[in-house]
């Protein structure tokens, strides 16, 4: 019975963890000068180094934009190179789509971060137990004292900071920008889906789409 309860608890915790958002919004900016009309066609450009990651981010954003009635195009469908071409080639491609705006996404930095979870008590377990160190201890005393001690957990993980920008092609000015972070940069599909949802939600709230 206890094993079944433990399994159920583990499954519940796993479900909760898996359902947690993989992307957090650090800040968002809206150009106060450019009001403009809603954008109905947008070109999505990812500056990911890996072609596969680039396609995932672009397709996720395109799919989410389509769900909200915006015609969107992934840049890799017209610029298939692993590395994006020079500015003039990119500009020609952008104009050829007839898009009103360009939505760009780029990982600007990846940092290592470390968290330390201390033990249950201020005094850590010394790492040994034998008579010279604790001459008065017996088994009951040892058992009760061990209940107070716990290991110190050290976790190291990557934190990626991502920048998403929306440019108006009529003026070439930056209309909207957002900085986001994720602790799962290697999980491109999950991050891309969550990022797309948050980006489009914000653009809709701002009346840009």
């Amino acid at each position: 019975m206890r094993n079944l309860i433990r399994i159920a608890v583990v499954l519940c915790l796993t479900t909760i963890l898996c359902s947690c958002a993989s992307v957090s919004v650090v800040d968002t900016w809206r150009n106060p000068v450019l009001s403009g009309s809603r954008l109905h066609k947008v070109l999505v450009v990812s500056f990911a180094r890996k072609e596969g990651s680039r396609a995932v981010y672009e397709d996720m954003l395109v799919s989410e934009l389509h769900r909200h009635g915006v015609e969107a195009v992934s840049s890799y469908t017209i610029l298939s190179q692993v590395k994006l071409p020079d500015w003039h080639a990119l500009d020609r491609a952008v104009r050829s789509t007839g898009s009103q705006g360009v939505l760009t996404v780029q990982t600007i930095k990846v940092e290592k971060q470390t968290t330390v979870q201390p033990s249950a008590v201020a005094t850590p377990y010394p790492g040994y137990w034998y008579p010279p160190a604790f001459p008065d201890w017996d088994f009951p005393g040892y058992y009760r004292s061990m209940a107070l001690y716990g290991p110190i957990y050290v976790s190291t993980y990557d934190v990626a900071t991502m920048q998403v920008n929306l440019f108006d092609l009529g003026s070439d000015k930056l209309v909207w920008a957002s900085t986001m972070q994720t602790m799962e940069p290697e999980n491109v599909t999950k991050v891309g889906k969550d990022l797309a949802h948050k980006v489009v939600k914000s653009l809709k709230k701002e009346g840009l789409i």
Side-chain angles (χ1 to χ4, degrees):
M1 184 64 179
R2 289 183 178 179
N3 288 336
L4 291 175
I5 294 175
R6 288 177 181 175
I7 293 172
V9 171
V10 170
L11 288 175
C12 288
L13 290 174
T14 302
T15 301
I16 292 171
L17 290 172
C18 290
S19 62
C20 290
S22 59
V23 175
S24 59
V25 178
V26 178
D27 57 38
T28 300
W29 176 85
R30 170 74 157 87
N31 193 325
V33 178
L34 294 176
S35 55
S37 57
R38 294 178 184 270
L39 301 178
H40 300 287
K41 188 169 185 179
V42 176
L43 177 68
V44 179
V45 182
S46 169
F47 294 100
R49 292 184 178 182
K50 297 180 180 179
E51 184 72 5
S53 298
R54 174 187 168 192
V56 169
Y57 286 130
E58 291 184 1
D59 284 345
M60 290 292 183
L61 282 164
V62 166
S63 176
E64 190 69 19
L65 286 166
H66 283 170
R67 290 183 61 249
H68 290 81
V70 180
E71 186 179 354
V73 180
S74 298
S75 74
Y76 77 88
T77 62
I78 54 176
L79 296 168
S80 59
Q81 296 93 333
V82 175
K83 292 184 178 180
L84 290 174
D86 61 28
W87 162 247
H88 297 291
L90 176 61
D91 187 50
R92 287 194 299 270
V94 168
R95 306 297 172 179
S96 70
T97 65
S99 298
Q100 299 167 293
V102 178
L103 186 65
T104 65
V105 55
Q106 179 182 14
T107 299
I108 55 177
K109 65 179 178 180
V110 179
E111 300 174 302
K112 288 284 186 185
Q113 291 196 7
T114 301
T115 59
V116 178
Q117 181 181 343
S119 61
V121 292
T123 304
Y125 181 60
Y128 50 80
W129 182 79
Y130 48 85
F134 304 99
D136 298 326
W137 273 19
D138 53 15
F139 180 69
Y142 166 74
Y143 181 81
R144 285 191 293 269
S145 66
M146 284 304 296
L148 298 175
Y149 291 109
I152 297 175
Y153 291 97
V154 179
S155 302
T156 302
Y157 50 90
D158 290 331
V159 176
T161 301
M162 308 178 76
Q163 185 71 37
V164 187
N165 300 314
L166 177 65
F167 294 91
D168 170 55
L169 285 180
S171 61
D172 282 337
K173 300 296 184 180
L174 180 64
V175 179
W176 173 93
S178 181
T179 302
M180 302 184 177
Q181 285 187 335
T182 177
M183 293 189 294
E184 304 178 69
E186 73 289 344
N187 195 340
V188 178
T189 301
K190 184 179 179 182
V191 171
K193 185 176 181 180
D194 195 24
L195 179 141
H197 174 73
K198 285 182 168 59
V199 167
V200 174
K201 181 180 179 181
S202 180
L203 293 178
K204 196 170 182 65
K205 181 181 179 181
E206 294 289 347
L208 294 169
I209 60 173

